[in-house]
Amino acid sequence: MLTKRIIACLDVRDGRVVKGIQFVDIIDAGDPAELAHRHAAGGADEIVLLDITATHEGRGTLLDTVRRTAATLFVPFTVGGGIRSAEDAAAVFHAGADKVSINSSAIARPALIGEIGGSFGAQAVIVAIDARRGPLGVEDAEVYVSGGRKPTGLNVVEWAREAEQRGAGEILLTSMNTDGMRNGFDCELTRAVSEAVQIPVIASGGAGSAAHFADVFKAGKADAALAASIFHFGITDSRALKAEVAAAGVPMRLPC
């Protein structure tokens, strides 16, 4: 049985890691290179760095921040934010990333998914989906872009299927309803997307305890789960978290 992955996320604004609640109420969490190294040493399987204002500000990814962070890492490193072309992706890979995450740009021009995958391999392309439930819940969950600022009218499950068909290697699904609340992942929405596609789904938004991770792996059928607050603010580290999740019966790669 394949082991599940624990991913630490760094939301970066102006070169600093920040964290908010439901995409607002942003507070400073620290230096990206320092936090990335700490989380990797603490047992995280992967690190994701998201330049959360690049698209909204109409600029490219902060490559100096990417280089400085990549230099500290010995685990797979994903970078997202401001990647609008295969050339932008190439610059991010050259700066030290192993994968790129695209969101708003993939919706604006879906062919970008295949263009990056054609040059660097599908395994290097993650399509991020920021999702907000509608009045009917999962059935009308809608995709948002520009850091959760703009609704698109796209159905989350339908867009996940299209992203896979266009060559995405993974889906990074963030529930805006649960983001930063630490009350648990949106297992129902995660399961709906996981059952709709054949590629791995990374759950994001709402982690507060080991039980929440076990729930999203079991009930949500996620292949990986991503968190920020519980790592940044010293609630736990990946090593301790993995031990608890493994004890709940979920296959994990336990650090030595």
Side-chain angles (χ1 to χ4, degrees), residues 28-199:
D28 185 90
D31 176 75
E34 292 176 3
L35 286 174
H37 179 76
R38 188 177 84 193
H39 297 333
D45 294 303
E46 301 183 23
I47 302 293
V48 170
L49 184 154
L50 301 176
D51 187 342
I52 61 173
T53 57
T55 297
H56 179 63
E57 294 172 358
R59 59 169 173 80
T61 310
L62 295 172
L63 294 178
D64 286 344
T65 300
V66 174
R67 290 188 194 96
R68 195 163 59 84
T69 304
T72 71
L73 292 179
F74 48 88
V75 299
F77 181 36
T78 297
V79 173
I83 299 170
R84 297 181 292 272
S85 67
E87 291 75 19
D88 289 341
V92 171
F93 287 126
H94 184 70
D98 301 290
K99 307 176 189 178
V100 295
S101 172
I102 54 176
N103 185 342
S104 302
S105 58
I107 290 172
R109 196 168 65 83
L112 178 62
I113 301 170
E115 290 170 7
I116 297 175
S119 297
F120 303 100
Q123 80 288 341
V125 187
I126 296 175
V127 171
I129 300 176
D130 295 332
R132 187 185 292 280
R133 285 173 175 256
L136 299 179
V138 170
E139 289 78 7
D140 64 345
E142 185 177 0
V143 179
Y144 277 65
V145 294
S146 297
R149 296 174 181 85
K150 298 179 181 179
T152 65
L154 292 173
N155 176 272
V156 170
V157 171
E158 291 175 2
W159 171 236
R161 287 196 186 105
E162 181 177 349
E164 178 183 30
Q165 291 167 359
R166 288 183 175 273
E170 294 184 79
I171 299 292
L172 169 55
L173 176 68
T174 300
S175 170
M176 294 175 63
N177 301 86
T178 60
D179 179 71
M181 302 299 288
R182 302 187 196 174
N183 292 323
F185 295 94
D186 189 334
C187 292
E188 186 180 11
L189 181 60
T190 305
R191 183 186 183 107
V193 174
S194 296
E195 290 181 339
V197 299
Q198 300 300 312
I199 56 178

Side-chain angles (χ1 to χ4, degrees), residues 241-256:
L241 177 65
K242 285 180 172 182
E244 290 188 64
V245 176
V250 178
M252 306 295 301
R253 184 181 65 81
L254 298 175
C256 300

